[in-house]
Amino acid sequence: MVGLTLKQVRKNYGNMEVLHGIDLDIKSGEFIAFVGPSGCGKSTLLRSIAGLEDISSGELYIDGALMNYVPPSKRGIAMVFQSYALYPHMTVFENMAFGMRIARVNKAEINRRVRQAADILQLTDYLDRYPKALSGGQRQRVAIGRAIVRDPKVFLFDEPLSNLDAALRVATRIEIAKLKQSMPGTTMIYVTHDQVEAMTLADRIVVLRGGDIEQIGSPLDLYRHPANLFVARFIGSPAMNIVPAVIEATGEQTLVLLASGERVAVPVSTPSGLKSAPVHFGVRPEDLRLAEGSGIFGGRISLIEQLGEVQLVYLDVEKVDGPIIVKLPGTEVIHVGDVIRLDVDPQRIRLFDSGGMSVA
Amino acid sequence: MSTVAIPVGARPARNPWVMLGKGFLMALLVSAGVLVLYPLIWMALGGFKSNSQIFSDPFALPNRWSFDNYVAAWNLGVRNFLFSSLLVTIVSTITTVFISAWTAYGLTRTKMFGKPVIVGFVLGGMMLSPTVALVPLVQMMQSLGLYNTHWALIILYTAFRVPFTTFLIRAYMLDLPRDLDEAAMIDGASEGQIFRKVMLPLCRSIIVSCIILHILFAWNEYLFAMIFTNQIDVQTLPVGLTSLMAKHGTNYAEVFAAMTISALPIVLIFFFTQRYFIRGLTEGIGK
Ligand SMILES: Nc1ncnc2c1ncn2[C@@H]1O[C@H](COP(=O)(O)OP(=O)(O)O)[C@@H](O)[C@H]1O
Ligand SMILES: [Mg+2]
């Protein structure tokens, strides 16, 4: 059974098209994250699913039923807003009970469901308070509680952690992960611009840019096999190092000449047409290590960020713009100004063509 | 309305300049209070005196505390004027505020074709001068058979005050986050329920201000009331009192009594709602 299907979904604001034909299949019970830079259309896509925005063209199905013209309250969804959107003139209890009261659910049932949700979210002592007398984290939990009592098929979150401070954000992230485990049948769609949240929570991540899907895949998939340069740079922190290069020889193996002057054999096969084509050579900071011998390239250390367990080493490499970042064990003894050589497992190297697409 | 926190146990400094400043402020406020209240009290006291005492002894207390003048004024027509004023004010307040709030909701919360034009059209009504429209309005009311009825005033007060009231409520609603209505929409509330259960409670302070502003307007309105009513049982207080003065102008005691009766409701309303009034206005406009 398919949880949610989008077919060629487009959204226009006046003459401006914000979503350019989104195709997406989400399985029932999946946790999906939409990530992408600010303004790429994540919220618009989520709000289109919720029914808060009309879809300009295309089709949206939830549980196999066409939803384009179904009002938000009939779609079986619940949404947690970035601002929490709690009703300020209602107590916590009333906030959570509002939807059920509208639907004329009987008192005993309302009471039971609100108290159950409050119990899960540790809000029982706060049921009589007004939102203004709650902390940010508590408000967040009330917003989640209001969504839980709706018993939704699809749970929508729009950047729910962005108004919390760093420590609370991690704690609440864990709460949401637990919530997901306790509601295995519920599909969850989670919008964030923070790739760490997406990586840690999602079963699959949808990377958006400028109203298009760049890639869909499991967190590890995106991390190991980014489909293009944009995803490669967006997923992972610090970002993947990119060095300009030229293909010197194609075939079973590909020989590339780096801008810094070294030649590297990459174990991917490339068609002969790509010979002498410019490419981007990508390698993640943690895949680089100090070379025993000459390595693939080297440079002078300009900065070291010691984090204890690891240290981030910023390297100036000749003829390469911007620093190359290397993640080395925290115990490695090195100093700013040292010249070091680096090596890499060739399996971990990624190549992108001049258009930014991954070279298979 | 902030209060200055004084640390427990510490006495405020006895700086002579501060004391002097406070004393001066106090004197100023008391004088202002006397300035406003004295004529009102003088008028109310005048209602207890006889006509001759008003002239012989204008600033003394009444010789005899008798309600005769009040009773006489009441029977001379103040009873009818008061009833008309109450009716017109209450009904037009309800219609104006309800229509304005609903309009403001529509103007701020719905997608509709040509909304800027409609906003301009509704709010442009504020520019309309009542005097200019008088002649056609008289003809209209006459042909509708509403001339010289309470309905004429109720309709006119509503029509002429909806733009301004809408303007105030709309400005307030524009500042309220859209997320709240969207959350209510997901919760299954209809437009009417969103309006009643979410928007109206959130707009309470501006609504209270609008109610009070409209009461003040309707209670004191003179031009329409004078032109559209001409009988004692339809006229409101401002017009009724004027005609009373014209007819019984020599009996000041009764006129004072009549004016006191007419001022009483508005003073009471203000007395009981001043908390809302002041807060509503500052929140509604200052925020
Ligand atoms: N109501 C609107 N009217 C016009 N443009 C809008 C509206 N809402 C969003 N947009 C535009 O649509 C694009 C996507 O916005 P949004 O979905 O909010 O991005 P994100 O949530 O990814 O940051 C942005 O360029 C934004 O300016
Ligand atoms: Mg957004």
Side-chain angles (χ1 to χ4, degrees):
Chain A
M1 186 175 62
V2 173
L4 208 118
T5 304
L6 286 83
K7 284 189 183 152
Q8 279 298 305
V9 168
R10 289 169 192 276
K11 174 68 192 173
N12 291 64
Y13 286 117
N15 290 331
M16 190 177 63
E17 191 171 84
V18 178
L19 299 174
H20 312 294
I22 301 288
D23 284 306
L24 189 59
D25 267 325
I26 297 174
K27 287 191 279 296
S28 176
E30 233 181 343
F31 195 123
I32 293 284
F34 294 166
V35 287
S38 175
C40 68
K42 307 178 295 286
S43 297
T44 307
L45 186 55
L46 194 77
R47 292 164 55 81
S48 302
I49 293 172
L52 296 173
E53 302 285 351
D54 295 330
I55 295 170
S56 303
S57 76
E59 286 155 15
L60 166 70
Y61 297 89
I62 296 179
D63 253 356
L66 184 67
M67 285 291 150
N68 286 32
Y69 308 105
V70 177
S73 59
K74 301 272 161 57
R75 293 187 179 197
I77 54 120
M79 183 153 165
V80 176
F81 291 81
Q82 185 171 6
S83 64
Y84 316 142
L86 301 180
Y87 310 120
H89 58 296
M90 297 184 201
T91 62
V92 169
F93 185 96
E94 289 165 339
N95 262 282
M96 294 207 252
F98 184 72
M100 289 187 282
R101 284 185 177 161
I102 296 273
R104 298 185 184 283
V105 176
N106 72 56
K107 275 216 171 86
E109 174 70 6
I110 292 179
N111 216 356
R112 191 185 66 76
R113 270 155 72 175
V114 170
R115 288 192 187 275
Q116 191 183 3
D119 198 39
I120 296 171
L121 297 164
Q122 292 148 33
L123 287 169
T124 309
D125 294 341
Y126 302 98
L127 284 175
D128 293 329
R129 291 226 195 150
Y130 286 90
K132 65 171 180 287
L134 298 177
S135 71
Q138 289 164 341
R139 285 178 203 178
Q140 174 66 75
R141 296 211 297 275
V142 176
I144 292 175
R146 186 171 64 182
I148 290 179
V149 297
R150 292 182 55 76
D151 195 15
K153 281 184 286 191
V154 184
F155 217 124
L156 308 174
F157 298 88
D158 192 355
E159 310 226 11
L161 307 186
S162 58
N163 286 334
L164 301 178
D165 63 43
L168 208 50
R169 201 175 301 169
V170 174
T172 312
R173 199 173 75 201
I174 292 167
E175 292 298 320
I176 291 177
K178 282 189 196 154
L179 183 71
K180 171 67 194 119
Q181 284 170 9
S182 70
M183 303 172 79
T186 309
T187 309
M188 296 198 176
I189 304 181
Y190 187 101
V191 162
T192 176
H193 63 269
D194 179 353
Q195 48 100 14
V196 177
E197 280 172 28
M199 295 286 287
T200 51
L201 287 169
D203 297 324
R204 280 196 303 158
I205 297 177
V206 177
V207 182
L208 290 161
R209 175 166 68 148
D212 281 307
I213 293 182
E214 292 283 313
Q215 189 173 4
I216 307 173
S218 72
L220 221 53
D221 228 19
L222 300 198
Y223 192 75
R224 290 280 173 238
H225 305 287
N228 55 47
L229 211 48
F230 176 78
V231 177
R233 286 199 170 113
F234 195 79
I235 301 287
S237 169
M240 182 183 273
N241 295 300
I242 304 292
V243 180
V246 175
I247 293 185
E248 282 208 327
T250 57
E252 288 285 285
Q253 282 213 338
T254 307
L255 191 67
V256 296
L257 174 65
L258 299 181
S260 53
E262 291 90 348
R263 285 183 177 74
V264 185
V266 184
V268 296
S269 69
T270 41
S272 57
L274 279 179
K275 189 160 159 50
S276 58
V279 288
H280 302 275
F281 171 97
V283 55
R284 292 208 179 271
E286 67 272 26
D287 291 334
L288 289 164
R289 52 179 148 56
L290 289 180
E292 307 279 317
S294 63
I296 54 164
F297 55 64
R300 186 177 298 275
I301 298 174
S302 64
L303 181 73
I304 298 174
E305 286 180 333
Q306 177 59 264
L307 302 175
E309 183 201 358
V310 294
Q311 47 191 335
L312 298 181
V313 181
Y314 291 69
L315 221 55
D316 286 334
V317 178
E318 240 176 281
K319 301 203 185 76
V320 175
D321 290 339
I324 296 294
I325 303 173
V326 189
K327 210 182 252 182
L328 294 178
T331 49
E332 205 82 63
V333 182
I334 42 173
H335 304 95
V336 171
D338 289 356
V339 174
I340 55 173
R341 301 289 303 171
L342 296 169
D343 213 346
V344 65
D345 174 357
Q347 299 287 347
R348 292 291 168 88
I349 295 170
R350 308 260 64 93
L351 291 183
F352 304 93
D353 65 21
S354 54
M357 300 310 291
S358 177
V359 176
Chain B
M1 288 215 278
S2 62
T3 51
V4 180
I6 297 170
V8 184
R11 292 169 70 93
R14 298 239 166 220
N15 182 330
W17 287 109
V18 172
M19 298 287 288
L20 192 70
K22 277 194 178 157
F24 188 73
L25 186 69
M26 216 50 186
L28 193 76
L29 290 176
V30 168
S31 338
V34 168
L35 213 62
V36 171
L37 285 178
Y38 183 72
L40 287 175
I41 294 170
W42 189 76
M43 178 177 81
L45 290 178
F48 289 100
K49 300 178 184 175
S50 68
N51 208 27
S52 55
Q53 198 203 348
I54 288 178
F55 287 102
S56 62
D57 222 354
F59 301 109
L61 286 177
N63 291 334
R64 210 164 51 84
W65 292 93
S66 130
F67 280 94
D68 292 350
N69 293 324
Y70 284 92
V71 174
W74 182 254
N75 289 328
L76 270 177
V78 170
R79 185 182 41 192
N80 309 57
F81 306 149
L82 191 69
F83 173 77
S84 294
S85 273
L86 281 174
L87 181 78
V88 167
T89 302
I90 290 171
V91 176
S92 73
T93 301
I94 293 170
T95 52
T96 304
V97 173
F98 185 79
I99 292 173
S100 301
W102 205 207
T103 310
Y105 179 74
L107 289 179
T108 54
R109 290 303 195 267
T110 54
K111 292 177 196 141
M112 59 171 122
F113 180 74
K115 195 153 87 175
V117 179
I118 298 174
V119 172
F121 192 71
V122 173
L123 301 190
M126 283 191 292
M127 309 295 163
L128 201 62
S129 147
T131 349
V132 173
L134 272 181
V135 175
L137 281 175
V138 169
Q139 289 180 341
M140 206 162 97
M141 288 299 169
Q142 277 173 340
S143 67
L144 288 172
L146 293 176
Y147 187 76
N148 197 31
T149 63
H150 290 135
W151 282 112
L153 296 185
I154 291 170
I155 291 171
L156 289 172
Y157 291 177
T158 305
F160 275 84
R161 294 297 284 192
V162 158
F164 178 62
T165 314
T166 304
F167 168 75
L168 287 184
I169 302 178
R170 173 177 170 272
Y172 195 88
M173 282 186 179
L174 280 178
D175 280 349
L176 293 177
R178 294 296 298 263
D179 290 4
L180 290 177
D181 359 349
E182 289 177 347
M185 206 187 289
I186 289 178
D187 270 338
S190 65
E191 291 286 350
Q193 285 168 324
I194 295 173
F195 178 67
R196 270 186 296 122
K197 301 192 171 179
V198 180
M199 294 305 278
L200 276 190
L202 292 178
C203 289
R204 196 180 65 187
S205 59
I206 190 71
I207 299 253
V208 171
S209 305
C210 287
I211 289 175
I212 296 169
L213 286 176
H214 188 89
I215 290 176
L216 290 180
F217 162 81
W219 195 258
N220 295 317
E221 205 282 335
Y222 185 76
L223 181 69
F224 284 146
M226 182 188 65
I227 290 178
F228 288 88
T229 58
N230 57 18
Q231 275 167 355
I232 196 166
D233 52 346
V234 188
Q235 282 171 334
T236 53
L237 279 165
V239 177
L241 286 183
T242 323
S243 66
L244 202 73
M245 276 197 282
K247 275 185 245 166
H248 308 269
T250 46
N251 192 343
Y252 281 90
E254 279 175 8
V255 171
F256 283 158
M259 291 198 286
T260 307
I261 297 174
S262 79
L264 209 58
I266 213 85
V267 170
L268 287 181
I269 287 176
F270 189 75
F271 186 77
F272 285 115
T273 59
Q274 56 167 327
R275 196 167 53 93
Y276 285 107
F277 186 52
I278 292 162
R279 196 180 53 198
L281 275 186
T282 47
E283 270 181 23
I285 294 162
K287 205 175 72 168

